[in-house]
Amino acid sequence: MLDNLVVMPTCLPLVLRRCHACASERFRASGKFRVNANHKLIDAWLLVLCTACGETEKLTVLERMNVRSVRPELLDRLHDNDPGLTAELLQDPVVRRRNRIALDWDNAWRLDTGGSDHLDREVIDVSVRFTAPIPVRPVRLISEGCDLSRAEVERLITEGKLVSAVRLSGRLSGGFTFTLKR
Ligand SMILES: [Zn+2]
């Protein structure tokens, strides 16, 4: 039997970018977009606000695109300030690269363990699923999901009692499975 752990966002991540007004490095999404259509060309930005001074900065979503090449559904969502669109765009690596931003997911996600009735079995196979690509430490997830201290998790890895096809050191942002033998 496979147990499931799910990593899910609880709110939008912060945007890491230096503020030109106060040198703070964190912005939060305003939830608003600005769209500028000039003849056949369209620009669109996601507006973010400095968490320290409130300065507004624009993240480029569309840059001088021909209006007819933009999906009408996307235009509607931009004009409606669709809240789900902000989350989708921040998770889009193309948008992040274009704007040279990274995301700060601290305190913006949680682990759904689906109860803890699996904890007393001798061997458990666990599948970890991500509903958004949130970079987290597997050791932290396993510690929280299996109710073990991080030191215990490290020890079980060293002793070969906690195994996975992926490297459990560092961070992961996509699904993986592991087996725990006690
Ligand atoms: Zn600022």
Side-chain angles (χ1 to χ4, degrees), residues 123-134:
V123 179
I124 54 173
D125 288 309
V126 182
S127 151
V128 184
R129 198 159 58 77
F130 288 65
T131 63
I134 304 172

Side-chain angles (χ1 to χ4, degrees), residues 19 21-24 50 52-55:
C19 174
C22 79
S24 159
C50 174
C53 74
E55 179 80 1

Side-chain angles (χ1 to χ4, degrees), residues 139 149-160 162 168-169:
V139 170
S149 72
R150 291 194 203 182
E152 282 174 294
V153 173
E154 302 277 10
R155 183 178 55 78
L156 289 164
I157 293 172
T158 309
E159 291 175 355
L162 174 52
L168 295 174
S169 55

Side-chain angles (χ1 to χ4, degrees), residues 91-129:
Q91 285 172 27
D92 183 342
V94 175
V95 171
R96 292 210 302 272
R97 256 198 312 278
R98 173 187 280 163
N99 291 283
R100 296 194 186 88
I101 56 166
L103 301 178
D104 175 2
W105 281 100
D106 282 0
N107 304 312
W109 62 276
R110 71 182 186 86
L111 184 67
D112 182 15
T113 58
S116 55
D117 48 330
H118 55 274
L119 295 173
D120 48 357
R121 297 207 308 274
E122 273 180 26
V123 179
I124 54 173
D125 288 309
V126 182
S127 151
V128 184
R129 198 159 58 77

